[in-house]
Amino acid sequence: MVFGAPYGVFPLGRHIVGLFLLGTFSPFHYHKDYAKGLTWPDYIAVGPPSQYIPFKLIPNLLKLIIQPKLKSVESTEKFFRSFLVDKMKPSEKARFEEWRVKQDLEEGQFERKWATIMKFNVSRSWEGFLGMADLLHSDWGFDPSELDEEYKRKRVLIVGGTDDQLSPKMAEWLVEKYGSNARLMMKEGGHLAAIYYIDELWGELLGDVESAVASE
């Protein structure tokens, strides 16, 4: 949201040299075909039904389903594993384990960390969760395809996972709208795929920026 904000609103935008996006969501307000990239559960949770059915009925029903799974860090960790880790293909699980060892993380430490964050996020209020669909559909303040020429000269690297059910179609739309200096890199794996290649990906973006500076 900050990348593309008018300089009058966000003066520090002048110093941004590039944009790095992982596990992307396109702005539904401008991406009219966004729903084609959603799974059926996501279509119901944040797609058109979430906007047509009043009184936030769908988010509140989802809260009733999810809330018991987040009663403790242990139950939240089980829930986190069920929709991310347990769905990994054997090749991605092997890559995840290799990455975990390189990061000097104990077995289960990564999952417990995110389970703790998830539980904390709803420990006092569910307002953020209940407002998620409305936020995704709101006007974020700019259309990526209408950025000014100065922003369009900045380098954009968007990364998606080949098995991520959300990323590919939305990432492709973003690359098209951000223009000729944007590129898409697809990495084997699901929603977590980018973390296994994070050093390589930073190198790619910084290399793009250096090339742009050298050509000016």
Side-chain angles (χ1 to χ4, degrees):
M1 295 180 188
V2 168
F3 186 86
Y7 293 154
V9 176
F10 184 65
L12 291 177
R14 292 186 174 88
H15 304 290
I16 295 176
V17 295
L19 175 66
F20 189 19
L21 291 176
L22 309 175
T24 54
F25 274 85
S26 57
F28 297 172
H29 183 76
Y30 297 107
H31 185 186
K32 301 307 179 184
D33 291 330
Y34 77 93
K36 293 180 179 179
L38 298 176
T39 62
W40 278 112
D42 290 324
Y43 182 89
I44 294 170
V46 300
S50 71
Q51 302 302 292
Y52 298 151
I53 299 176
F55 311 118
K56 293 186 177 179
L57 180 60
I58 290 177
N60 277 289
L61 287 174
L62 291 173
K63 175 189 171 183
L64 290 176
I65 295 170
I66 296 172
Q67 193 170 23
K69 302 178 187 296
L70 274 61
K71 282 187 174 180
S72 66
V73 172
E74 291 74 20
S75 63
T76 306
E77 180 181 343
K78 183 178 179 181
F79 178 59
F80 177 84
R81 285 177 178 273
S82 70
F83 70 84
L84 278 179
V85 181
D86 293 346
K87 291 183 178 180
M88 291 179 180
K89 292 180 179 178
S91 58
E92 185 178 2
K93 284 187 177 181
R95 193 171 289 109
F96 174 74
E97 285 301 311
E98 181 182 349
W99 171 83
R100 180 183 64 77
V101 171
K102 285 183 178 180
Q103 298 299 313
D104 198 26
L105 297 174
E106 297 178 3
E107 186 173 356
Q109 185 176 345
F110 176 82
E111 294 91 326
R112 283 193 297 275
K113 173 185 175 181
W114 283 102
T116 303
I117 293 172
M118 288 173 65
K119 185 178 184 304
F120 176 78
N121 282 342
V122 294
S123 61
R124 295 185 180 181
S125 172
W126 280 78
E127 286 305 308
F129 176 84
L130 296 175
M132 180 173 58
D134 290 344
L135 176 63
L136 288 171
H137 285 268
S138 66
D139 185 350
W140 295 358
F142 68 95
D143 182 343
S145 65
E146 296 180 357
L147 294 176
D148 60 33
E149 290 304 315
E150 188 170 354
Y151 264 115
K152 286 183 178 179
R153 288 198 298 269
K154 302 176 190 291
R155 299 295 172 150
V156 177
L157 179 62
I158 298 174
V159 183
T162 56
D163 298 322
D164 189 345
Q165 295 177 312
L166 278 178
S167 278
K169 290 188 180 298
M170 295 189 184
E172 289 167 6
W173 184 90
L174 285 168
V175 169
E176 177 188 348
K177 299 303 178 183
Y178 274 122
S180 59
N181 282 329
R183 65 185 178 116
L184 173 64
M185 293 188 69
M186 298 299 295
K187 292 295 184 180
E188 182 184 358
H191 198 62
L192 298 178
I195 67 172
Y196 318 137
Y197 308 94
I198 197 67
D199 291 338
E200 172 193 335
L201 294 169
W202 274 115
E204 289 281 345
L205 177 61
L206 295 175
D208 287 350
V209 170
E210 289 176 357
S211 297
V213 171
S215 64
E216 291 181 356

